[in-house]
Amino acid sequence: MSLAETSSRARMRPRFDADRLLTLACIGLPLLGLILFFAYPMVIVFLRSITVGDSYGLGNYTEVLGSSGFWRATRHSLAMGGATTVLSVLLGFIIAHGLYRCAFRGKWLIRSVIVLPLLAPSLVQALGLIFLLGRNGVISRMLGVEIEIYGFWGLLIANTLYALPQAVMIIGAALVLLDARTYEAAEVMGAPPWRQFRDLTLPAARFGILNAAFVCFTITITDFGNAAVIGGDYSVLATEIYSQVVGQRNFNMGAVVGIMLLLPTVISYSIERQAMKRQQAGQITGQEPYRPSFAPLRDISMAALSLLICAGILSVIGIVVYASFVTLWPYNMALSPKHYDITLAGGYSSLWMTIFISLAAASGGTVAVFLMGLGLRRLPKAVAQPIQILAAMPAAVPGMVLGLAYILTFNSTATPLYLLYGTAALIAIVNFYHYHTQGFLTVMTGFRQLPSALEEAAGSLGAGLGRTARDIVAPFIAPMLVSVFFFLFMRSMVTLSAVVFLTTPDLSVAAVTIMRLDDAGLTSQAAAFSTCVMGVVCLAVLSMKVTLALLRRRGANKGAT
Amino acid sequence: MYLTVRDATKTYGNFTALDRVSIEIEKGEFVCLLGPSGCGKTTLLRLIAGLTDLDGGTITLEGATLSDLPARKRGFGIVFQSYSLFPNMTVAENIGYGLKIRGVRKDDIAARVQELLALVKLPQVADNLPGQLSGGQQQRIALARAIAVDPRVLLLDEPLSALDAKVRAVLRDEIRQVQRSLGIPTLMVTHDQEEALALADKIICMNHGVVVQAGTPEDLYHRPATRFVAEFMGISNLLAADTVARHFPDLVPTRPASEDSYLACIRPEQIEVTPSENGGAVVRSISFLGNLRRLEVESPAGPLLVETHGGSPYHTGDRVELSIAPKACTWVVDDTVGTEAVSA
């Protein structure tokens, strides 16, 4: 080592320090997980897509691109994605506008109904539609008409119901950003209500609408549950992967279709992230919330429209619950609990297993993103940024592709990772990494709100990293951690797309069981099982609300003396 | 010397935040780092606190180098502009936190907290959460938290900037009182020259990452070394050498060298003004500032600012005579040539 090097090393201070070691562990462990359980499987799926026989080549791609089935599925996926996006953004804007820019009572009702589709596996919308509009559906029989619900239209409605909550939340968040003073200024300057809508509300929602459109498009083309249940002959890319892999055991071709599905989602996701940044840049602090005053024409029509949409959602979900109690749909409509006696497809064991897996994914995941956020704050920007980008990437990967990547990676005896294959741990892991981005970004939002002066103050009082994390950071972002925990739990309870490849005859999860029951023609039992899952998830929502309320109360009580 | 910073350098990319800055603090001294935003004063404070790493130079405390010591082991106290109380802890827990980390017994912590609450004149708020206190109260608690651990140095980063004028004045006096009574060497960052003049034993005036002048408040106000200091430390009339020679020849002998770039600096209250029918200057405008009046006078030497106390007999348009005593004039280096002029 030369003299110059020695002195520059001395300035860099390669000093042994427990805090630096702890920082390394904080960042290292979650990063290792990301690489092992996200980056590595994604590389494998790519390599498999270009594996032909014993060598690499583009043979699989030319074969897929030459098949009419692939092009039909692509056309269908794009058409379905486009139609669902237009419809759900339109309806989502109506509801968000009603909630945040109109004055009427009963908003709590709309708010609670609108999130219902998020609390159930995506195939529940499809099940509900079949009970309503299928051959033996309530509405079909009432009107005495034969509606062909399997196919484009059924899938469009099911997907729209599934995407709608996201659209409402994203557009609503954009509308909230525009504060009351802006409207007051416009009012004073003489702008009539329609001009305020056109010149203020719409431009404010612009990024929200764009963002919502990309999110709706992505979740539509990647969703598997609805397509599997109500798609019928209308094949889409997600079902195409499933039939390639599970139907024809053709893993390499499945990998090719997976990579093709990855393209639009990656593009859409990166545009969405850009839009989000623009929106955040426009944010101002210390705003005055907008309180709309009653305008009869606007508010009554908006309330009516919103309630109508909510009635639609409620009837689709409600009919599933109702049908699960009907003795023999549609011939004997007497109520009985007999469908809850599920013996096929492993009975309720998969429900308990799913709860266990979801708890594991939620607790492990929450700890992992917390440590990561803690470590990232202490890393130089040049190092932190690439890690942040990697941590935000899983959202761009459709569940089907991630699941496929897992089966290709962990079902191969080439590495000791094989030991994980077929275990509940692997399903918990895939669930966490499937929803890693959302959890990570939520925690990072919490960390951004934490003033660095708090940690610096603790530091100059003598607190090390461990102590600061426990006494200062964790209490500060506790609400975020609670949200992340329950988010991961609920998503793990209902997700189907990634886990569908990883279940075995001995180890199944709830959403897969529902699909199996429906496949076997036991629609009423599928409904009963769905109702149980929704019950568990609703319980989780309730616990989350109670926990967050307790956190607030504890804070308030502490200062009340 | 108690705390010594020698040749401290810090760069961010192409931007040099600090360029070989050296300062010294003696035991019990109250030192203010004064300068406009971006001058490097906060960076210097953070380097001393150990919150930012040095790129070059040394910091020593009683002869021992601090460079390798992380912030938590320096035993300093710090107060930020943004209060920065831990929102999840009560006032008492906030103040006692540093002692708790040091493993002090619970009873002793409680006693010390009560003592400190009395010192900052808030004995009733021990069980409140920070969010329930006003800004001024929060900042007092932050001060109590910083001094609870008997810090070797107290660092104050614009502690009064977020408060409104009245509270600021009261808290300013209290900080001074507490610091005097405890004798803690204190370094405060501020951009408010009035605050620095009122509080400091020594002011270190900074600009563009270097120390421009260090000295007592009297020194900096009455004997500024450069145009920047003169303009930053209150209002001044700056006259070029040839203007002085033509209109105030009495002042020429006070000039230190025959350097043309020197400017004469005369504070507005140092100019004597007398009403005179055939005086060479005219009152252009009058600002009433309560305890004094500031006149803008058009004189043969150019526009000048003059301050008078007591009931002023002047009106706009009055003719006046101006005179300046030689000892009222200081010559300063014009260091703002080529850069944006900074006026107070």
Side-chain angles (χ1 to χ4, degrees):
Chain A
M1 197 185 282
S2 75
L3 197 68
E5 253 176 299
T6 326
S7 68
S8 82
R9 271 292 202 85
R11 253 181 49 192
M12 298 268 295
R13 297 196 275 139
R15 191 166 31 83
F16 178 81
D17 178 346
D19 264 15
R20 292 195 183 209
L21 212 63
L22 211 53
T23 308
L24 277 184
C26 278
I27 201 74
L29 293 177
L31 187 62
L32 186 70
L34 256 180
I35 291 170
L36 219 52
F37 297 109
F38 173 66
Y40 175 58
M42 291 312 292
V43 170
I44 294 285
V45 81
F46 174 72
L47 288 180
R48 283 298 286 267
S49 79
I50 54 167
T51 302
V52 186
D54 285 332
S55 65
Y56 294 128
L58 294 174
N60 298 326
Y61 283 87
T62 48
E63 193 177 324
V64 165
L65 292 175
S67 82
S68 57
F70 169 75
W71 286 111
R72 196 178 57 236
T74 305
R75 255 197 331 274
H76 286 174
S77 269
L78 292 178
M80 179 53 60
T84 306
T85 301
V86 171
L87 197 57
S88 47
V89 167
L90 186 72
L91 299 181
F93 183 80
I94 290 173
I95 294 179
H97 185 258
L99 284 178
Y100 297 107
R101 286 294 172 266
C102 297
F104 54 80
R105 283 194 210 182
K107 285 183 179 174
W108 64 271
L109 188 72
I110 294 172
R111 260 188 255 267
S112 18
V113 170
I114 202 75
V115 297
L116 283 181
L118 288 183
L119 307 185
S122 72
L123 30 69
V124 165
Q125 285 82 248
L127 274 182
L129 283 176
I130 291 168
F131 282 118
L132 281 177
L133 297 166
R135 192 167 301 129
N136 291 322
V138 179
I139 296 178
S140 321
R141 288 178 75 91
M142 212 149 55
L143 299 175
V145 289
E146 187 107 337
I147 303 169
E148 185 47 55
I149 192 68
Y150 292 93
F152 180 83
W153 293 104
L155 190 51
L156 175 64
I157 303 173
N159 279 332
T160 302
L161 291 179
Y162 188 53
L164 193 57
Q166 311 270 0
V168 172
M169 283 192 271
I170 295 169
I171 298 174
L175 286 177
V176 168
L177 284 183
L178 193 61
D179 81 339
R181 291 190 208 104
T182 326
Y183 284 98
E184 285 162 3
E187 186 76 39
V188 171
M189 290 162 82
W194 66 270
R195 287 220 60 143
Q196 292 183 20
F197 177 77
R198 201 194 68 185
D199 299 339
L200 300 176
T201 310
L202 268 189
R206 198 177 51 205
F207 284 120
I209 289 172
L210 188 70
N211 202 347
F214 282 114
V215 170
C216 291
F217 184 79
T218 311
I219 57 180
T220 304
I221 66 167
T222 58
D223 179 69
F224 173 68
N226 281 327
V229 174
I230 208 170
D233 292 334
Y234 195 82
S235 67
V236 292
L237 285 172
T239 48
E240 186 69 14
I241 298 181
Y242 188 70
S243 74
Q244 285 286 355
V245 172
V246 175
Q248 304 170 31
R249 312 295 296 169
N250 196 342
F251 291 103
N252 292 358
M253 300 299 266
V256 171
V257 182
I259 295 289
M260 298 308 240
L261 182 58
L262 196 57
L263 283 179
T265 56
V266 166
I267 294 170
S268 142
Y269 177 67
S270 44
I271 296 178
E272 176 210 325
R273 293 275 304 187
Q274 289 306 315
M276 196 103 101
K277 264 184 212 150
R278 292 278 297 270
Q279 187 181 324
Q280 277 165 352
Q283 231 164 340
I284 36 160
T285 49
Q287 29 168 248
E288 194 69 27
Y290 177 73
R291 289 186 211 294
S293 53
F294 184 63
L297 183 67
R298 177 195 71 190
D299 292 347
I300 292 172
S301 53
M302 277 308 193
L305 270 175
S306 304
L307 284 174
L308 195 69
I309 300 167
C310 286
I313 298 173
L314 205 58
S315 55
V316 168
I317 307 274
I319 198 79
V320 174
V321 178
Y322 174 69
S324 73
F325 288 104
V326 167
T327 313
L328 185 59
W329 185 280
Y331 307 109
N332 179 359
M333 300 297 269
L335 298 182
S336 92
K338 77 174 183 115
H339 298 302
Y340 283 83
D341 183 22
I342 297 168
T343 47
L344 241 80
Y348 282 110
S349 68
S350 69
L351 182 64
W352 307 129
M353 183 46 85
T354 312
I355 294 175
F356 171 73
I357 286 173
S358 304
L359 282 173
S363 33
T366 308
V367 171
V369 289
F370 175 70
L371 290 182
M372 194 156 202
L374 198 64
L376 278 177
R377 268 171 96 81
R378 284 164 180 76
L379 286 185
K381 215 172 171 198
V383 185
Q385 218 149 31
I387 297 176
Q388 253 165 322
I389 291 171
L390 179 67
M393 268 207 269
V397 176
M400 294 298 285
V401 179
L402 192 63
L404 177 61
Y406 267 53
I407 197 171
L408 294 178
T409 308
F410 299 101
N411 194 17
S412 128
T413 45
T415 64
L417 292 172
Y418 176 70
L419 292 174
L420 281 170
Y421 186 71
T423 63
L426 191 64
I427 297 182
I429 290 171
V430 79
N431 282 339
F432 168 50
Y433 285 101
H434 188 183
Y435 296 104
H436 185 274
T437 304
Q438 291 88 336
F440 172 72
L441 292 180
T442 305
V443 166
M444 287 309 278
T445 310
F447 271 106
R448 261 197 297 279
Q449 288 164 2
L450 174 71
S452 53
L454 284 189
E455 287 169 274
E456 291 170 0
S460 47
L461 287 173
L465 177 57
R467 190 124 202 179
T468 309
R470 196 192 71 196
D471 295 347
I472 317 294
V473 182
F476 190 91
I477 65 166
M480 301 285 178
L481 294 177
V482 170
S483 303
V484 170
F485 177 87
F486 282 101
F487 167 79
L488 287 174
F489 178 80
M490 289 188 273
R491 290 281 90 196
S492 302
M493 280 302 297
V494 301
T495 186
L496 172 65
S497 54
V499 293
V500 73
F501 290 122
L502 297 176
T503 53
T504 63
D506 304 326
L507 177 72
S508 185
V509 295
V512 175
T513 304
I514 298 171
M515 190 178 76
R516 297 248 165 84
L517 289 169
D518 178 64
D519 275 350
L522 301 169
T523 322
S524 292
Q525 291 202 9
F529 207 96
S530 306
T531 306
C532 293
V533 172
M534 287 190 277
V536 172
V537 176
C538 285
L539 220 60
V541 174
L542 220 65
S543 329
M544 176 170 83
K545 300 230 159 186
V546 170
T547 315
L548 288 174
L550 282 179
L551 274 180
R552 273 195 299 273
R553 259 260 291 286
R554 203 184 64 181
N557 273 348
K558 207 170 177 184
T561 41
Chain B
M1 218 34 67
Y2 187 66
L3 179 78
T4 311
V5 177
R6 196 154 307 289
D7 293 330
T9 299
K10 182 75 193 170
T11 55
Y12 296 101
N14 288 328
F15 176 71
T16 304
L18 285 180
D19 188 6
R20 281 163 292 144
V21 167
S22 300
I23 68 166
E24 292 175 333
I25 299 174
E26 286 184 69
K27 246 193 157 103
E29 200 174 31
F30 196 119
V31 177
C32 274
L33 283 175
L34 177 69
S37 57
C39 73
K41 56 191 191 299
T42 296
T43 305
L44 181 55
L45 180 109
R46 294 175 62 85
L47 284 175
I48 294 170
L51 298 171
T52 307
D53 285 341
L54 273 172
D55 286 343
T58 54
I59 302 174
T60 53
L61 185 72
E62 293 185 301
T65 179
L66 287 179
S67 309
D68 280 352
L69 220 51
R72 66 175 189 284
K73 292 184 181 154
R74 294 197 180 186
F76 291 180
I78 190 161
V79 177
F80 295 97
Q81 177 181 345
S82 49
Y83 321 139
S84 306
L85 296 178
F86 307 132
N88 54 305
M89 298 183 192
T90 63
V91 164
E93 286 168 332
N94 260 287
I95 298 176
Y97 189 63
L99 297 170
K100 195 172 140 194
I101 289 170
R102 284 159 179 71
V104 177
R105 276 184 41 237
K106 264 193 175 158
D107 304 347
D108 296 340
I109 295 180
R112 177 85 173 122
V113 166
Q114 270 317 315
E115 189 185 311
L116 285 160
L117 281 171
L119 185 71
V120 297
K121 301 186 179 138
L122 285 172
Q124 308 298 334
V125 301
D127 294 324
N128 283 83
L129 284 176
Q132 298 166 318
L133 305 182
S134 71
Q137 290 173 325
Q138 288 194 49
Q139 201 58 306
R140 280 186 194 157
I141 301 304
L143 180 66
R145 183 179 70 180
I147 57 182
V149 295
D150 291 322
R152 300 198 284 173
V153 177
L154 180 61
L155 302 168
L156 309 171
D157 186 6
E158 306 240 9
L160 303 172
S161 298
L163 305 172
D164 55 53
K166 263 234 165 90
V167 181
R168 200 184 310 169
V170 175
L171 199 54
R172 186 169 81 187
D173 295 341
E174 282 179 23
I175 287 179
R176 187 67 180 127
Q177 225 176 316
V178 167
Q179 192 269 341
R180 279 278 144 83
S181 64
L182 301 178
I184 308 169
T186 300
L187 184 66
M188 176 165 108
V189 160
T190 178
H191 62 260
D192 182 341
Q193 45 98 11
E194 221 178 287
E195 212 167 275
L197 288 174
L199 283 172
D201 296 316
K202 182 163 88 192
I203 296 178
I204 295 169
C205 190
M206 295 180 65
N207 195 23
H208 298 309
V210 296
V211 172
V212 184
Q213 189 178 359
T216 63
E218 295 269 325
D219 273 344
L220 266 76
Y221 186 79
H222 290 300
R223 287 171 292 281
T226 75
R227 175 176 181 169
F228 171 78
V229 178
E231 290 187 320
F232 201 79
M233 304 294 304
I235 298 168
S236 57
N237 296 294
L238 293 165
L239 300 174
D242 52 344
T243 312
V244 174
R246 211 168 316 130
H247 301 283
F248 302 101
D250 295 355
L251 306 181
V252 174
T254 61
R255 199 165 116 191
S258 53
E259 274 282 347
D260 275 352
S261 63
Y262 274 67
L263 299 172
C265 163
I266 303 117
R267 297 290 183 194
E269 69 276 13
Q270 306 277 27
I271 300 180
E272 259 176 70
V273 54
T274 42
S276 159
E277 282 295 319
N278 37 16
V282 182
V283 177
R284 281 278 167 249
S285 71
I286 303 166
S287 323
F288 177 60
L289 299 173
N291 55 338
L292 53 83
R293 280 181 170 75
R294 186 173 298 146
L295 311 180
E296 202 188 317
V297 178
E298 188 62 47
S299 79
L304 292 173
L305 287 173
V306 180
E307 282 172 6
T308 63
H309 285 263
S312 163
Y314 302 107
H315 298 94
T316 310
D318 283 355
R319 292 204 152 268
V320 292
E321 195 73 65
L322 300 178
S323 68
I324 304 169
K327 66 170 172 43
C329 170
T330 316
W331 292 85
V332 299
V333 179
D334 191 359
D335 58 346
T336 57
V337 182
T339 61
E340 200 190 336
V342 183
S343 50

